[in-house]
Amino acid sequence: MAGYRNRFLGRALYDVLNEVERGLRSLLSRPASLVMGMISAPLWLAFFVLSLEGYGLSLGGLTIQLLIWISYSFSLYSTWLWEFGQGMLDEHQDGVLEYVMGSGSSLFRHVMGSGLALLIYTVLDLAVILASFAAVFRVEPTIMDPAAFFISVVMASLSLLSLASIYAIMVAGLRSSWVVTDVLQFILPAVGGLLPSEFSPAIRLINEYSPLAYPFVLMRESATGVNELGIPIQLQLAYSLIFTAIMLGAAWLILGKADERLRRTGSLGLR
């Protein structure tokens, strides 16, 4: 029994690593897109943030630091919904998922491997945003608690990975799923901790009671050193871990059921 379990875990790890390699090759096969992101990031950040200054917002001290992490949080939401969630839908339309499932891998292993590859991209995205703020606004980004910050980024990414994969499975049959993705790109950040609690009592209420918000709030707090909810960091970390585990469990369950149904019906590509 132990030998079988070890072989199963070894095969699962092998499949995930293969999917990571596949995901990295896919990302690196589009160098123009990566370069365009690096070039455009400073431009849209300057336009967005300087527009706020035109409305009387003082760009200094804590405000500019918060804007850094608002920008990165929105980038995470956009990346996971578009690059990952919409990417899964494109894979099913192009027959890639049919090939993956036909090769013996599972939907969940494919999702985890592709997600780990995309996580590397989000780190690159963070570097571009930090460099953009440093170049455009002459500000040095601060990360007061690097360990908590790293954990919060991983938890935020895993939560969004799970959410995006569940979403992709649920809307796979829609012809214009990109419309739903576009709407969710703005709805989810609104209830998912994009904005600091200091902005208004309503936002503070959302951040305090929305499970999706906790990793993003923790990200800002570990970067700025400001506890915006007044809840102990250890408790926020526990809430974030519990929610992330629930999301991963839900993704594993839903993708597993979808995988089983698709193999039973012979519709390997979500068709």
Side-chain angles (χ1 to χ4, degrees), residues 200-254:
S200 80
I203 292 174
R204 180 186 176 90
L205 197 63
I206 291 173
N207 289 346
E208 189 172 351
Y209 289 100
S210 172
L212 186 59
Y214 272 93
F216 294 91
V217 173
L218 186 61
M219 184 193 309
R220 282 195 302 273
E221 292 179 340
S222 59
T224 63
V226 177
N227 189 328
E228 63 181 67
L229 293 180
I231 300 174
I233 297 297
Q234 294 81 356
L235 191 57
Q236 293 187 50
L237 180 60
Y239 288 157
S240 300
L241 286 170
I242 292 171
F243 174 71
T244 302
I246 290 174
M247 288 299 297
L248 282 171
W252 174 78
L253 182 62
I254 292 173

Side-chain angles (χ1 to χ4, degrees), residues 36-59:
M36 184 59 66
M38 294 180 187
I39 295 174
S40 63
L43 299 178
W44 71 259
L45 281 173
F47 172 79
F48 172 70
V49 177
L50 292 176
S51 296
L52 294 177
E53 188 177 35
Y55 284 95
L57 182 65
S58 176
L59 298 181

Side-chain angles (χ1 to χ4, degrees), residues 169-185:
I169 292 296
M170 293 179 65
V171 302
L174 296 180
R175 292 191 176 184
S176 300
S177 56
W178 63 269
V179 176
V180 183
T181 305
D182 200 21
V183 173
L184 287 179
Q185 179 181 225

Side-chain angles (χ1 to χ4, degrees), residues 41-43 45-47 50 131-139:
L43 299 178
L45 281 173
F47 172 79
L50 292 176
S132 299
F133 268 91
V136 175
F137 302 104
R138 304 297 180 187
V139 60

